[in-house]
Amino acid sequence: MLSVEHVKFSYKKERPILQDISFELNEGECLCLLGPNGTGKTTLLKCLLNEQHPAGGRIILNGKEIRHMTARERAAQLAYVSQSSQMAFPYSVEEVVLMGRIAHMGLGAAVSDKDRRIAWEMMARLGIEKMADENFQVLSGGERQMVLIARALAQQARYLILDEPTAALDYSNQVKILEMIQSLSKDGYGVLMTSHFPDHAFLVCDKAVLLRNGHVLAFGPPDEVVTGKNLTELYGVPVCVAETLIKNKSSQTFQKVCIPMMKKEETMK
């Protein structure tokens, strides 16, 4: 379990960024972290990655506080996929995925056959093995995101933190990434993803955390906490959560969707 217990953080004493943040994530679950810009989502991720140290509270990963773990211990259990996909050098796709194996290599050790086998297994899982020799920098945004997820999987950590994994992607690539996230959680990975689209919580997540002004506005199953009332309070604009019936040849299901209640000018007569 990844457990966040009463975490507090501030860059300056007079301006707290995080205040009494608590939630938990188990293996096999996907959690969506929602909130407007400037509400503390990035700072919270930095605390989870031990890049920032909370002023109060604890972050516990499988029974041990993250701040007491070595970098290698953390990397063996927790992998991170950032929004940025730029590389300083023209690495190939295979080389980028192999970077995920660094946590398992000794100082100065060369890439082993096992490392290459695991990298290829993860590329095959995401359907990108045919791009192994291509320059990472010339790939599309969706392809680069798949490569970065493959790198995280090659790290063989059971918890994944994905910072806005669908940002700047077209509709098709967003769906592909969301389907991959859903598949990973079903396979036993604990996935924490941030998003600016509350519908993502309904589509692929088991839990949602609504973060506003450094506080947890709500935490729990999306059906219970991603409501019109909560979203209106979270984003400061009127939002309606509606339920639509989706039919196909063999079945029918209900799907919740979030609809912004935009102001419309009266039609001129």
Side-chain angles (χ1 to χ4, degrees), residues 145-162:
Q145 197 67 11
M146 284 292 192
V147 174
L148 294 179
I149 293 175
R151 180 179 68 179
L153 295 181
Q155 195 171 315
Q156 293 188 306
R158 297 303 296 174
Y159 287 90
L160 306 176
I161 295 179
L162 312 179

Side-chain angles (χ1 to χ4, degrees), residues 23 31-32 206-210 216 218-226:
F23 62 86
L31 182 150
C32 189
D206 307 286
K207 296 178 177 178
V209 174
L210 277 56
V216 173
F219 165 59
D223 283 343
E224 296 179 10
V225 302
V226 183

